[in-house]
Amino acid sequence: MSSSKQATKPGIPNHVGIVMDGNGRWAKSQGKVRLEGHKKGADVARQVVRWAQKLGIRHISLYAFSTENWDRPKLEVRALMGLLAMMLPKTLPEMKENGVRFRVLGDISPLPAKARKAVEQACAETCDNSAIDLILCLNYGGQQEIVAGVQQTVKWLESQSDSEKALAELTPETFRSMLWRHDMAPVDLLIRTGGECRISNFHLWDAAYAELYFSDLFWPDFTENDLQIAVEDYAARERRFGKTSEQVCR
Ligand code: IPE
Ligand code: IPE
Ligand code: MG
C-alpha cells in the first residue's frame, strides 16, 4: 500500500509546494470578475492533488491564502473565505476515497468560524489517511512561521538546565523542529504559476534548498500535463546541497 511516509520514486519530488497565482488575471482575460478566477482556481487545486498522487508525489502544499492577502479588498477576502468553507466539505468525500490526509500550515485562528470549522473537520476526518498529504497553507507567512519558531525556541531554551550551552549549540535542524512545519517533509520542488518570479513569503525556511520552477500560466489554466512538465524539469536537475557535481554523482 502506498503511504505518505514511504520513499518516493527516483526523480519524483517527495514534497511539491505550489504558489497558485494568477486567478485574478485569468478572470480579467476572460472578461469575468476576480471571484470567477478563484472558483476556477479552487477547482484546479482540487484536481492537482489527484494528478500529484498519480505521479507518486507524497506531499503537496498549496498556498491558498497568505498573511498579506488580508490586505485585499474586504469583499474579495470574504469571498475567498466563503469559497473555502464551501469547497472543503464538498471535496471531503473525494479526499477520503483517495486516502488524502488533509493538513494545514498557518494560523487558522483568525479565519471566519465557518471556514475554520471546515478546515478542522477535514483535518479530523482524514487524519488516518496515508496515500498523500495535502497541506493547505492558510493565513500562512514564512516570516511569521520563523518568528513563531523563535518564540518557541526561547521557551525551549528557558526549560534547559544550561540554556547558554543549548543556545550556543542550536543547529538549523533543532530550530526547524520549532517551526510549524516541524513534522512535515522538506519542500523539494516549489512551483509558482502566474508569471511572477518571487516567493511571496511561502516556505521561506525550506526555500533554502527547494528547486524553484516558475510557469507563466495562470493557475486556472494549469493542467496535469503542466505538472508533469514541472516534475520532469525537476528530475533533470542536479541537487548538490553545496557539494560538487562529482561528489553527488558518485
Ligand atoms: C492567487 O491568485 C490566489 C490568491 C492569492 C488567493 P491572485 O488572486 O493573486 O491572482 P492575480 O495575481 O491577481 O492574477
Ligand atoms: C501569493 O500570491 C499568495 C497566494 C497564492 C495565496 P499573491 O498574488 O498574493 O502574491 P504577490 O502579492 O503577487 O506577491
Ligand atoms: Mg497574485
Side-chain angles (χ1 to χ4, degrees):
M1 201 188 97
S2 67
S3 150
S4 55
K5 290 188 184 68
Q6 255 177 24
T8 321
K9 290 180 233 156
I12 299 292
N14 185 46
H15 180 173
V16 176
I18 309 184
V19 181
M20 309 181 290
D21 196 25
N23 292 351
R25 281 164 288 161
W26 178 86
K28 199 171 177 186
S29 75
Q30 308 274 315
K32 294 179 168 147
V33 293
R34 290 181 62 87
L35 178 59
E36 291 303 315
H38 292 314
K39 277 188 188 159
K40 183 82 188 354
D43 196 44
V44 177
R46 185 179 62 76
Q47 295 183 72
V48 80
V49 182
R50 190 79 198 112
W51 304 336
Q53 200 169 0
K54 275 164 72 182
L55 284 171
I57 293 161
R58 305 288 184 203
H59 311 263
I60 182 163
S61 53
L62 302 178
Y63 207 3
F65 193 86
S66 75
T67 41
E68 288 70 36
N69 289 149
W70 294 108
D71 294 335
R72 292 194 175 195
K74 275 198 172 60
L75 221 75
E76 180 164 346
V77 171
R78 203 180 308 152
L80 282 167
M81 293 298 157
L83 193 58
L84 179 70
M86 201 250 306
M87 279 294 289
L88 264 186
K90 254 175 89 176
T91 319
L92 196 49
E94 185 182 314
M95 287 198 280
K96 286 178 167 175
E97 203 179 298
N98 295 331
V100 177
R101 178 167 71 149
F102 179 88
R103 306 190 68 190
V104 73
L105 186 64
D107 174 15
I108 61 164
S109 60
L111 262 57
K114 233 176 150 184
R116 204 178 56 240
K117 279 182 190 144
V119 168
E120 285 165 353
Q121 188 193 1
C123 287
E125 292 193 20
T126 62
C127 65
D128 293 328
N129 291 348
S130 60
I132 186 168
D133 278 351
L134 162 60
I135 303 159
L136 203 63
C137 302
L138 280 171
N139 187 27
Y140 174 77
Q143 293 179 336
Q144 288 76 358
E145 180 182 19
I146 291 171
V147 169
V150 171
Q151 290 165 334
Q152 194 61 34
T153 305
V154 170
K155 275 191 204 151
W156 173 76
L157 286 170
E158 283 167 359
S159 74
Q160 299 300 297
S161 54
D162 189 345
S163 54
E164 244 175 67
K165 184 168 178 278
L167 177 60
E169 289 174 357
L170 189 72
T171 61
E173 289 71 31
T174 312
F175 182 67
R176 192 183 190 279
S177 73
M178 309 288 169
L179 297 174
W180 292 335
R181 66 188 50 244
H182 64 94
D183 62 347
M184 295 178 182
V187 178
D188 300 295
L189 172 62
L190 199 161
I191 299 175
R192 182 181 185 132
T193 60
E196 315 290 0
C197 297
R198 56 177 173 259
I199 302 212
S200 300
N201 212 7
F202 193 40
H203 287 322
L204 289 191
W205 184 266
D206 281 348
Y209 270 103
E211 294 295 326
L212 308 180
Y213 181 90
F214 297 102
S215 161
D216 284 335
L217 291 165
F218 295 141
W219 176 247
D221 287 329
F222 197 77
T223 65
E224 183 168 11
N225 189 45
D226 298 315
L227 180 67
Q228 172 121 31
I229 292 170
V231 168
E232 280 167 12
D233 194 278
Y234 169 88
R237 297 184 192 188
E238 184 178 71
R239 301 186 78 190
R240 291 192 286 275
F241 298 98
K243 295 180 181 167
T244 66
S245 185
E246 289 70 23
Q247 283 176 298
V248 295
C249 282
R250 258 200 315 219

